[in-house]
Amino acid sequence: EDVFSGVITNMKLEPAILEGTGVYDKSCNMIGNGLTNCDAGIQTEKGLLNFNYKHNMAVQPCIAQGDKLSVRILDSEGNAEVTRG
C-alpha cells in the first residue's frame, strides 16, 4: 500500500473516509534526512482538500494529478492518512 500521513490544512472535517482524486502537488521542499514536505490537492465530495505531508521521494513518488486516493480523516485537528491506489 502507498500510504501518506499528514494534515488537511484548509478546512475542518470530522473523522471520515473520503474518496478523492489528485489535482495538484506543489510547494515540495527538501527538509532533510531524504524527506520532502509537499502540499497535495485532493478533490473529494467535501471539496478540494489541501493535504500537507512529508515523504521520501526516492521511495514514494509525490501524489500526482489523476491519482485515485482514499482520505481517512483521523481527528478534528485535520490529521489524515491518504492511500493511493
Side-chain angles (χ1 to χ4, degrees):
E1 273 193 349
D2 210 354
V3 180
F4 301 91
S5 294
V7 180
I8 304 300
T9 61
N10 65 329
M11 65 177 68
K12 294 284 185 194
L13 296 167
E14 292 303 311
I17 296 176
L18 306 172
E19 295 305 311
T21 303
V23 175
Y24 63 78
D25 197 82
K26 63 183 183 180
S27 306
C28 294
N29 296 306
M30 295 299 293
I31 56 173
N33 296 326
L35 294 178
T36 303
N37 188 69
C38 298
D39 283 296
I42 304 171
Q43 186 65 53
T44 71
E45 64 266 24
K46 298 285 188 183
L48 182 61
L49 308 181
N50 188 80
F51 178 62
N52 182 272
Y53 67 106
K54 297 171 183 65
H55 67 116
N56 182 331
M57 290 204 309
V59 177
Q60 286 180 303
C62 291
I63 292 171
Q65 184 174 355
D67 280 354
K68 296 298 177 206
L69 306 165
S70 178
V71 182
R72 189 161 68 105
I73 310 296
L74 301 174
D75 58 35
S76 59
E77 300 301 310
N79 292 299
E81 285 183 348
V82 173
T83 304
R84 175 170 39 205

